Amino acid sequence: MPKIPIAKKEDYPELFKQNCKELEGIIDHSFNDPIYLYKALTHSSYSNEKKNRCIYECNERLEFLGDSVLAIAVSEKLFSHFSDRPEGELTRYRANLVCEDALYEYAKKIGLDCFMLLGNGEQNCDERHKKSRLADCYEALIAAIHLDGGAKKAKEFVLKSIEERMERAPESTAPTDYKSLLQQLVQNNKGEKLEYVLISQRGPDHDKVFVTRAVLSSNPVGTGEGRSKRESEQMAAKEALRLFGKL
């Protein structure tokens, strides 16, 4: 049985590659290796549909890296910009700037929904406008810029994205960030380790439900469901806070 090759630049659809050139102008970064951008925009539904012809790497691994790059860039900016604010306020500001609603806002601002590479089934369901999908794609794009252009370029991109929302941070009412509240509670008890474990997911790709468990030093303290992994983690943290009498 012949080995399925990894997709090269020439294997991607021509229209998609032309659109990527347009996106480069919008985000003000010309990729030295455009394959990073192609991967950032490729959803798993496309990868799965084409897996018998080529292996098109989807954006899930890049999303993982982008989440960390985003957090560092935002934390550094808040630390310097609000130099007189205490840690608790900075945590709330950051939660407001990196939550799913915020990432969706940043993605829509650059029209990211028009550039994603989705499978035919997802196209028919108009899934490119789904909030969690766009938020994930935005994080993957951050990682692609970071890997191609370096940390400075990625930080510039992030700071430009958050600029308007950050200026509203002190006045805005951020959605309750249960994970941050739980983390602050845990930090008061030295030696405790908090983690979130995805225990199941159900439903088709365009309508999945994720179930996550909050685990504190090997002890389950909360379980939550959501339409995205982020939402299920928040719900698990909320249940844990109720258990500890904090809600």
Side-chain angles (χ1 to χ4, degrees):
M1 187 175 183
K3 185 177 180 181
I4 300 174
I6 302 293
K8 299 178 182 178
K9 286 184 284 188
E10 56 267 26
D11 295 315
Y12 287 83
E14 285 301 319
L15 180 58
F16 170 71
K17 290 188 284 188
Q18 292 172 21
N19 289 340
C20 284
K21 283 292 183 183
E22 180 182 346
L23 181 58
E24 286 181 323
I26 294 172
I27 65 176
D28 192 27
H29 178 67
S30 181
F31 279 79
N32 297 305
D33 185 355
I35 203 75
Y36 286 124
L37 180 57
Y38 299 168
K39 290 178 181 179
L41 298 173
T42 300
H43 186 255
S44 59
S45 60
Y46 186 87
S47 303
N48 291 333
E49 280 189 8
K50 306 295 182 180
K51 62 185 178 182
N52 292 328
R53 184 163 66 88
C54 272
I55 297 176
Y56 291 88
E57 186 176 339
C58 70
N59 60 14
E60 291 174 356
R61 281 170 48 83
L62 287 173
E63 176 200 340
F64 165 79
L65 176 60
D67 178 72
S68 297
V69 176
L70 172 68
I72 291 173
V74 171
S75 296
E76 287 182 348
K77 181 62 177 178
L78 289 173
F79 185 81
S80 60
H81 188 77
F82 297 110
S83 58
D84 60 335
R85 305 299 170 93
E87 181 264 348
E89 283 189 42
L90 294 179
T91 298
R92 289 195 295 275
Y93 294 168
R94 182 178 61 194
N96 180 257
L97 291 171
V98 303
C99 67
E100 187 172 84
D101 284 344
L103 303 188
Y104 176 74
E105 177 185 308
Y106 309 149
K108 289 291 287 185
K109 190 184 297 184
I110 60 175
L112 198 56
D113 50 319
C114 298
F115 299 98
M116 290 187 294
L117 193 58
L118 301 174
N120 290 326
E122 306 296 297
Q123 293 276 17
N124 295 337
C125 295
D126 204 23
E127 284 293 301
R128 65 176 61 252
H129 304 295
K130 190 174 181 180
K131 184 180 292 186
S132 61
R133 184 151 303 167
L134 270 172
D136 293 344
C137 190
Y138 174 79
E139 288 184 328
L141 179 58
I142 293 172
I145 296 172
H146 176 82
L147 292 172
D148 185 77
K152 182 179 178 182
K153 190 68 180 181
K155 183 178 180 180
E156 289 173 357
F157 172 70
V158 169
L159 296 186
K160 185 176 180 180
S161 295
I162 71 170
E163 189 174 19
E164 292 181 16
R165 194 176 179 99
M166 194 188 78
E167 291 304 323
R168 305 195 305 264
E171 292 78 31
S172 64
T173 303
T176 304
D177 185 358
Y178 299 110
K179 286 180 65 177
S180 292
L181 293 174
L182 182 58
Q183 186 63 46
Q184 290 174 30
L185 181 64
V186 170
Q187 285 173 350
N188 294 328
N189 300 310
K190 293 183 179 180
E192 298 278 16
K193 180 183 178 183
L194 175 65
E195 58 185 341
Y196 294 89
V197 181
L198 180 66
I199 56 176
S200 69
Q201 52 183 295
R202 62 180 185 273
D205 284 343
H206 67 275
D207 192 26
K208 278 194 178 299
V209 174
F210 298 89
V211 181
T212 296
R213 178 171 293 147
V215 180
L216 182 61
S217 297
S218 302
N219 298 309
V221 291
T223 302
E225 290 189 4
R227 294 293 180 180
S228 67
K229 293 178 183 177
R230 288 187 185 87
E231 185 181 352
S232 68
E233 289 174 355
Q234 287 286 353
M235 293 302 99
K238 183 178 182 179
E239 185 175 282
L241 288 167
R242 284 199 182 115
L243 177 68
F244 296 135
K246 298 300 181 180
L247 289 180

